[in-house]
Amino acid sequence: MFRSVVSVLGLAFVGFLLWRRGVPDGPALIEVVGVALAFFGGTLALSVWRLVKRNHP
């Protein structure tokens, strides 16, 4: 549950930064947005999957 909350907060923070500073151009788009979305999105998906399957400690 903690991991899913942190992932949602991370995605919200990335969204806030994109709203506040704008979408970066060029390779920074992939580096900043792509890696952050892949990390937080993947962590959120894995956490929700484990919670649904009840495969958590």
Side-chain angles (χ1 to χ4, degrees):
M1 190 67 161
F2 174 76
R3 228 172 25 180
S4 60
V5 170
V6 170
S7 297
V8 168
L9 290 176
L11 287 171
F13 185 66
V14 170
F16 171 74
L17 289 178
L18 288 174
W19 171 73
R20 183 78 175 142
R21 300 195 47 114
V23 178
D25 294 331
L29 176 67
I30 295 170
E31 182 180 351
V32 174
V33 178
V35 171
L37 290 179
F39 177 75
F40 288 121
T43 304
L44 180 63
L46 179 65
S47 299
V48 169
W49 177 257
R50 289 182 68 149
L51 286 171
V52 168
K53 297 289 276 183
R54 297 195 181 268
N55 187 14
H56 54 84

XYZ file of all heavy atoms in Angstrom:
439
model
N 0.826 -1.185 0.000
C 0.000 0.000 0.000
C 0.879 1.261 0.000
O 0.570 2.220 -0.699
C -0.906 -0.057 1.247
C -1.949 0.966 1.229
S -3.091 0.622 -0.090
C -4.453 1.546 0.400
N 1.949 1.231 0.789
C 2.852 2.377 0.864
C 3.468 2.680 -0.501
O 3.544 3.836 -0.919
C 3.949 2.108 1.899
C 5.006 3.176 1.952
C 4.744 4.392 2.561
C 6.248 2.974 1.384
C 5.703 5.382 2.607
C 7.214 3.952 1.422
C 6.942 5.162 2.045
N 3.895 1.629 -1.201
C 4.519 1.809 -2.510
C 3.554 2.408 -3.523
O 3.937 3.244 -4.343
C 5.033 0.468 -3.022
C 6.418 0.545 -3.523
C 7.040 -0.758 -3.871
N 6.144 -1.829 -4.224
C 6.538 -3.031 -4.560
N 7.804 -3.316 -4.599
N 5.674 -3.969 -4.858
N 2.307 2.013 -3.467
C 1.331 2.559 -4.403
C 1.041 4.029 -4.101
O 0.888 4.833 -5.019
C 0.046 1.730 -4.388
O -0.541 1.729 -3.119
N 1.001 4.393 -2.829
C 0.776 5.797 -2.465
C 1.960 6.653 -2.906
O 1.777 7.744 -3.463
C 0.527 5.933 -0.946
C 0.528 7.381 -0.508
C -0.776 5.270 -0.562
N 3.173 6.172 -2.690
C 4.358 6.912 -3.109
C 4.402 7.044 -4.628
O 4.775 8.101 -5.155
C 5.644 6.235 -2.570
C 6.888 6.839 -3.186
C 5.696 6.349 -1.058
N 3.984 6.029 -5.343
C 3.955 6.094 -6.808
C 2.950 7.128 -7.301
O 3.237 7.888 -8.229
C 3.604 4.726 -7.391
O 4.591 3.796 -7.065
N 1.779 7.159 -6.687
C 0.777 8.152 -7.071
C 1.284 9.556 -6.771
O 1.118 10.478 -7.578
C -0.567 7.867 -6.363
C -1.524 9.029 -6.515
C -1.183 6.600 -6.899
N 1.912 9.738 -5.621
C 2.477 11.050 -5.288
C 3.591 11.440 -6.258
O 3.709 12.601 -6.647
C 2.993 11.057 -3.850
C 1.925 10.997 -2.763
C 2.581 10.904 -1.383
C 0.991 12.184 -2.833
N 4.411 10.486 -6.656
C 5.467 10.749 -7.633
C 4.903 11.153 -8.985
O 5.388 12.094 -9.619
N 3.871 10.458 -9.434
C 3.231 10.818 -10.698
C 2.569 12.192 -10.611
O 2.625 12.979 -11.564
C 2.201 9.757 -11.089
C 2.763 8.434 -11.580
C 1.651 7.401 -11.715
C 3.497 8.619 -12.892
N 1.968 12.482 -9.467
C 1.351 13.799 -9.274
C 2.417 14.893 -9.290
O 2.203 15.973 -9.859
C 0.571 13.827 -7.969
N 3.571 14.628 -8.690
C 4.651 15.607 -8.673
C 5.201 15.846 -10.072
O 5.463 16.986 -10.455
C 5.758 15.138 -7.730
C 6.856 16.137 -7.554
C 6.614 17.339 -6.924
C 8.129 15.869 -8.015
C 7.620 18.272 -6.759
C 9.144 16.786 -7.855
C 8.889 17.992 -7.223
N 5.355 14.798 -10.854
C 5.813 14.953 -12.240
C 4.791 15.757 -13.035
O 5.149 16.644 -13.821
C 6.073 13.579 -12.895
C 6.301 13.707 -14.389
C 7.259 12.902 -12.243
N 3.509 15.462 -12.843
C 2.461 16.225 -13.512
C 2.470 17.684 -13.110
O 2.302 18.582 -13.959
N 2.687 17.957 -11.831
C 2.768 19.334 -11.361
C 3.951 20.062 -11.990
O 3.819 21.210 -12.424
C 2.884 19.373 -9.833
C 3.192 20.728 -9.287
C 2.208 21.700 -9.258
C 4.459 21.038 -8.825
C 2.487 22.969 -8.765
C 4.742 22.292 -8.337
C 3.755 23.267 -8.302
N 5.090 19.397 -12.054
C 6.266 20.028 -12.658
C 6.060 20.296 -14.141
O 6.493 21.335 -14.648
C 7.504 19.167 -12.448
C 8.033 19.116 -11.023
C 9.231 18.182 -10.937
C 8.412 20.489 -10.527
N 5.410 19.375 -14.830
C 5.126 19.606 -16.250
C 4.160 20.774 -16.422
O 4.285 21.562 -17.356
C 4.554 18.345 -16.894
C 5.540 17.217 -17.108
C 4.825 15.977 -17.619
C 6.636 17.636 -18.070
N 3.195 20.871 -15.534
C 2.245 21.988 -15.594
C 2.931 23.311 -15.272
O 2.699 24.321 -15.914
C 1.098 21.738 -14.613
C 0.196 22.905 -14.442
C -0.714 23.372 -15.336
C 0.131 23.768 -13.312
N -1.345 24.463 -14.817
C -0.846 24.741 -13.577
C 0.805 23.804 -12.088
C -1.168 25.729 -12.673
C 0.483 24.789 -11.190
C -0.491 25.741 -11.486
N 3.804 23.282 -14.281
C 4.449 24.513 -13.803
C 5.553 24.999 -14.748
O 5.653 26.172 -15.035
C 5.027 24.253 -12.416
C 5.640 25.428 -11.772
C 4.582 26.326 -11.204
N 5.264 27.386 -10.485
C 4.847 28.626 -10.479
N 3.742 28.945 -11.085
N 5.512 29.535 -9.838
N 6.395 24.092 -15.221
C 7.559 24.478 -16.022
C 7.400 24.209 -17.506
O 8.217 24.641 -18.299
C 8.798 23.760 -15.514
C 9.095 24.109 -14.059
C 10.452 23.716 -13.640
N 11.468 24.099 -14.574
C 12.418 25.002 -14.331
N 12.433 25.620 -13.190
N 13.339 25.250 -15.227
N 6.390 23.445 -17.882
C 6.179 23.130 -19.291
C 6.862 21.835 -19.675
O 7.689 21.297 -18.946
N 6.520 21.353 -20.841
C 7.081 20.101 -21.349
C 8.453 20.391 -21.950
O 8.586 21.286 -22.787
C 6.145 19.476 -22.402
C 6.738 18.199 -22.966
C 4.778 19.221 -21.806
N 9.488 19.656 -21.535
C 10.826 19.897 -22.089
C 10.913 19.469 -23.550
O 10.126 18.658 -24.032
C 11.738 19.042 -21.206
C 10.863 18.043 -20.576
C 9.492 18.620 -20.515
N 11.901 20.007 -24.241
C 12.118 19.691 -25.652
C 13.276 18.716 -25.810
O 14.176 18.647 -24.980
C 12.455 20.965 -26.430
C 11.292 21.934 -26.468
O 10.145 21.467 -26.407
O 11.548 23.153 -26.557
N 13.264 18.002 -26.909
C 14.383 17.150 -27.284
C 14.576 15.953 -26.382
O 13.620 15.359 -25.882
N 15.840 15.593 -26.138
C 16.137 14.405 -25.342
C 15.710 14.522 -23.882
O 15.513 13.520 -23.220
C 17.648 14.255 -25.431
C 18.141 15.267 -26.364
C 17.027 16.189 -26.706
N 15.555 15.751 -23.398
C 15.122 15.925 -22.012
C 13.716 15.388 -21.808
O 13.373 14.943 -20.712
C 15.182 17.399 -21.623
N 12.910 15.403 -22.848
C 11.554 14.872 -22.746
C 11.593 13.388 -22.398
O 10.896 12.937 -21.497
C 10.797 15.086 -24.056
C 9.394 14.492 -24.129
C 8.469 15.214 -23.172
C 8.866 14.577 -25.535
N 12.431 12.645 -23.083
C 12.537 11.208 -22.826
C 13.186 10.963 -21.473
O 12.740 10.114 -20.705
C 13.335 10.519 -23.946
C 12.571 10.635 -25.252
C 13.608 9.060 -23.601
C 13.357 10.199 -26.459
N 14.221 11.735 -21.174
C 14.956 11.512 -19.935
C 14.103 11.832 -18.719
O 14.008 11.036 -17.784
C 16.220 12.362 -19.922
C 17.070 12.153 -18.697
C 18.315 13.008 -18.726
O 18.598 13.638 -19.760
O 18.995 13.055 -17.698
N 13.501 12.989 -18.712
C 12.767 13.428 -17.531
C 11.392 12.779 -17.457
O 11.045 12.129 -16.480
C 12.637 14.970 -17.517
C 11.756 15.436 -16.385
C 14.000 15.607 -17.430
N 10.617 12.951 -18.494
C 9.232 12.479 -18.460
C 9.170 10.970 -18.659
O 8.483 10.271 -17.917
C 8.385 13.212 -19.520
C 6.963 12.705 -19.532
C 8.408 14.710 -19.270
N 9.880 10.455 -19.629
C 9.811 9.029 -19.932
C 10.286 8.151 -18.794
O 9.619 7.182 -18.419
N 11.429 8.473 -18.223
C 11.972 7.658 -17.141
C 11.099 7.778 -15.898
O 10.822 6.777 -15.224
C 13.440 8.050 -16.850
C 13.951 7.371 -15.603
C 14.311 7.712 -18.038
N 10.648 8.982 -15.574
C 9.800 9.170 -14.394
C 8.480 8.427 -14.545
O 8.021 7.762 -13.611
C 9.554 10.652 -14.150
N 7.857 8.537 -15.722
C 6.588 7.835 -15.932
C 6.784 6.323 -15.937
O 5.942 5.585 -15.407
C 5.933 8.295 -17.231
C 5.383 9.716 -17.229
C 4.778 10.044 -18.592
C 4.368 9.911 -16.135
N 7.872 5.861 -16.522
C 8.134 4.424 -16.523
C 8.377 3.907 -15.107
O 7.846 2.859 -14.716
C 9.340 4.108 -17.406
N 9.135 4.643 -14.323
C 9.442 4.212 -12.959
C 8.200 4.243 -12.075
O 7.826 3.238 -11.477
C 10.547 5.086 -12.360
C 10.853 4.743 -10.932
C 11.577 3.601 -10.629
C 10.410 5.535 -9.900
C 11.854 3.261 -9.318
C 10.682 5.212 -8.587
C 11.406 4.072 -8.288
N 7.564 5.408 -11.988
C 6.410 5.528 -11.097
C 5.211 4.748 -11.620
O 4.469 4.142 -10.844
C 6.041 6.995 -10.883
C 7.025 7.737 -10.021
C 7.685 8.847 -10.508
C 7.285 7.335 -8.730
C 8.587 9.530 -9.721
C 8.195 7.998 -7.942
C 8.852 9.111 -8.430
N 5.003 4.743 -12.926
C 3.904 3.977 -13.499
C 4.096 2.480 -13.329
O 3.159 1.749 -13.001
N 5.311 2.012 -13.558
C 5.603 0.591 -13.368
C 5.478 0.161 -11.921
O 4.943 -0.911 -11.615
N 5.960 0.992 -11.025
C 5.846 0.684 -9.606
C 4.390 0.667 -9.167
O 3.972 -0.196 -8.398
C 6.633 1.712 -8.769
O 7.983 1.729 -9.217
C 6.612 1.353 -7.304
N 3.610 1.619 -9.670
C 2.185 1.654 -9.332
C 1.470 0.417 -9.874
O 0.681 -0.210 -9.162
C 1.536 2.926 -9.874
C 0.049 3.081 -9.600
C -0.219 3.164 -8.108
C -0.484 4.311 -10.302
N 1.751 0.059 -11.117
C 1.110 -1.118 -11.708
C 1.473 -2.389 -10.937
O 0.597 -3.217 -10.649
C 1.516 -1.246 -13.172
N 2.736 -2.535 -10.587
C 3.161 -3.714 -9.835
C 2.521 -3.743 -8.453
O 2.065 -4.789 -7.988
C 4.689 -3.739 -9.709
C 5.281 -4.913 -8.934
C 5.004 -6.214 -9.670
C 6.766 -4.704 -8.736
N 2.451 -2.609 -7.796
C 1.866 -2.549 -6.458
C 0.380 -2.871 -6.484
O -0.116 -3.636 -5.652
C 2.063 -1.155 -5.851
O 3.422 -0.855 -5.740
N -0.329 -2.291 -7.440
C -1.771 -2.565 -7.546
C -1.998 -4.027 -7.900
O -2.898 -4.673 -7.351
C -2.427 -1.621 -8.571
C -3.834 -2.042 -8.896
C -2.405 -0.198 -8.052
N -1.185 -4.568 -8.795
C -1.313 -5.976 -9.178
C -1.134 -6.886 -7.964
O -1.907 -7.818 -7.751
C -0.287 -6.314 -10.255
C -0.298 -7.748 -10.659
C 0.589 -8.713 -10.289
C -1.259 -8.390 -11.497
N 0.251 -9.899 -10.856
C -0.884 -9.738 -11.597
C -2.379 -7.954 -12.174
C -1.603 -10.653 -12.346
C -3.096 -8.871 -12.921
C -2.704 -10.196 -13.002
N -0.128 -6.607 -7.147
C 0.118 -7.430 -5.962
C -0.982 -7.258 -4.927
O -1.328 -8.213 -4.222
C 1.476 -7.110 -5.370
C 2.610 -7.614 -6.253
C 3.934 -7.349 -5.646
N 4.049 -8.196 -4.463
C 5.189 -8.694 -4.021
N 6.287 -8.422 -4.656
N 5.220 -9.436 -2.942
N -1.542 -6.046 -4.809
C -2.649 -5.850 -3.880
C -3.902 -6.587 -4.341
O -4.625 -7.166 -3.529
C -2.937 -4.355 -3.718
C -1.935 -3.580 -2.878
C -2.228 -2.077 -2.982
C -1.976 -4.026 -1.426
N -4.165 -6.560 -5.640
C -5.341 -7.258 -6.168
C -5.190 -8.774 -6.006
O -6.140 -9.461 -5.637
C -5.564 -6.869 -7.653
C -6.579 -7.781 -8.307
C -6.001 -5.422 -7.742
N -4.013 -9.283 -6.289
C -3.774 -10.719 -6.183
C -3.567 -11.167 -4.726
O -3.452 -12.350 -4.462
C -2.521 -11.106 -6.984
C -2.629 -10.852 -8.475
C -3.548 -11.798 -9.134
C -2.784 -13.050 -9.427
N -3.549 -14.033 -10.126
N -3.509 -10.208 -3.807
C -3.254 -10.462 -2.386
C -1.942 -11.230 -2.189
O -1.837 -12.110 -1.360
C -4.406 -11.201 -1.739
C -5.685 -10.420 -1.749
C -6.669 -11.023 -0.783
N -7.911 -10.259 -0.813
C -8.194 -9.248 -0.022
N -7.295 -8.856 0.847
N -9.338 -8.614 -0.091
N -0.955 -10.839 -2.973
C 0.373 -11.447 -2.913
C 1.332 -10.449 -2.256
O 2.330 -10.063 -2.817
C 0.838 -11.805 -4.322
C 2.134 -12.583 -4.300
O 2.546 -13.060 -3.262
N 2.776 -12.685 -5.447
N 0.986 -10.024 -1.076
C 1.810 -9.055 -0.360
C 1.979 -9.525 1.079
O 1.169 -10.273 1.594
C 1.188 -7.659 -0.417
C -0.225 -7.597 0.061
N -0.540 -7.478 1.393
C -1.403 -7.681 -0.595
C -1.854 -7.449 1.527
N -2.399 -7.602 0.345
N 3.033 -9.061 1.728
C 3.266 -9.509 3.112
C 2.284 -8.919 4.098
O 1.640 -7.982 3.909
C 4.676 -9.016 3.421
C 5.058 -8.087 2.344
C 4.108 -8.268 1.238
